[in-house]
Amino acid sequence: MAHIGMDLNRFILEEERRFARATGSLTLALTAVETATKIISANVRMAGLANVLGKAGKVNVQGEEVQKLDEMSNSLLIQHLSDSGQFYGLASEELDEAVFPENGAEGRYVISFDPLDGSSNIDVNVNIGTIFSIHKVVSGNEEDFLQEGSLQVAAGYVVYGSSTMLVYSTGRGVNGFTLDPSVGMFLLSHPNIRIPEKGGIYSINEGNYTMWDSRLKKYIDTLKARGTKARYIGSMVADVHRTLIKGGVFAYPADSKNKSGKLRLLYEASPMGFLIEQAGGRATTGVEDILKVKPKSLHQRVPVFLGSSGDIGELLEFL
Ligand code: AHG
Ligand code: MN
Ligand code: MN
């Protein structure tokens, strides 16, 4: 029985034991994510000292400056996920193409991940994170990465904030684990997270206001007139984590400059949408549920509106 303080490994094993046909593969897969993110957390905590701040002097497929910590986090995840032998393929925000680990031929899963989310906040000591999304191998090729979000077998994130928290779901609710650095273990701190039906916070980059669709402007103006609180950290993991715990709306909409918005479907919108829905909230592109979108490419962008079901319902009336 899950209780506060239970360690992540025991929690994952107890979840596995509930499935007679479980092979233990997902347990090993999640454990590889856990190990890599613990090491990333240690490096994030001393970034200012470990010479991992600043730019790596290259631009990624997104056309964005790669930070040293992006690169280090990506390498750590590639190494540990490959070593686990559980993944047929890996797709990363930092890699143009998917990679297929040598010892992954029998791997039952593919994983897409954002090794370090919120890169613009690295050098100013503001919360950043790692996001991951796991699907089953179906056809044994790149198509396996392009499955709808509703078919995820697991999704989660690690937020490197005032504490390091791992939040994940395998489709039976959402649970949060806080890293106890003194023992190097993630311990259950937020069992069965449920997002409030309505929240009094909206989270969006208002710097893009002039480029938004007029209906979205009207919705945001209505929230302001109501005195709704505005909170925007600029790291999706941190903004979504706050939305999951406190409720409200997080949005990264399309605008006149970015017709599909900024956030990537495979390793930002889809895993976060899965978690929010598992916690009782809603996640939409403004046109359709995020989890129903059939991906066409690894780095495809989608508009994102997610959060409390009551708030998203009201937003959709405006859109
Ligand atoms: P990443 O650092 O992985 O590229 O992601 C950054 C994303 C996301 O974390 C955040 O919600 C968004 O960029 C913020 O974008 P703006 O700075 O344009 O608001
Ligand atoms: Mn990101
Ligand atoms: Mn990133």
Side-chain angles (χ1 to χ4, degrees), residues 136-274:
K136 262 205 169 43
V137 167
V138 177
S139 29
N141 60 39
E142 183 132 351
E143 279 304 305
D144 288 336
F145 290 102
L146 305 181
Q147 299 177 60
E148 292 84 338
S150 55
L151 299 177
Q152 290 175 92
V153 292
Y157 60 81
V158 178
V159 54
Y160 310 108
S162 42
S163 67
T164 293
M165 270 191 76
L166 183 146
V167 176
Y168 87 103
S169 173
T170 56
R172 283 186 306 285
V174 182
N175 290 283
F177 299 79
T178 298
L179 183 63
D180 176 343
S182 65
V183 292
M185 295 170 84
F186 280 107
L187 305 178
L188 184 62
S189 53
H190 296 66
N192 191 27
I193 299 174
R194 302 297 294 168
I195 186 170
E197 159 77 11
K198 275 188 83 59
I201 303 172
Y202 74 97
S203 183
I204 191 167
N205 180 347
E206 303 218 34
N208 299 326
Y209 181 90
T210 54
M211 300 188 292
W212 292 341
D213 175 290
S214 57
R215 292 163 298 180
L216 176 60
K217 287 181 184 173
K218 203 152 168 296
Y219 171 66
I220 297 295
D221 294 346
T222 306
L223 295 185
K224 286 172 185 273
R226 240 182 248 163
T228 308
K229 209 183 284 180
R231 286 287 183 275
Y232 191 71
I233 301 167
S235 295
M236 184 190 197
V237 172
D239 283 317
V240 171
H241 183 66
R242 184 205 51 251
T243 305
L244 183 66
I245 303 293
K246 296 204 165 182
V249 175
F250 168 78
Y252 207 108
D255 60 41
S256 53
K257 204 173 62 175
N258 304 299
K259 300 282 185 234
S260 301
K262 172 180 183 182
L263 299 177
R264 280 55 59 106
L265 175 58
L266 254 57
Y267 42 81
E268 288 172 320
S270 184
M272 291 311 208
F274 185 77

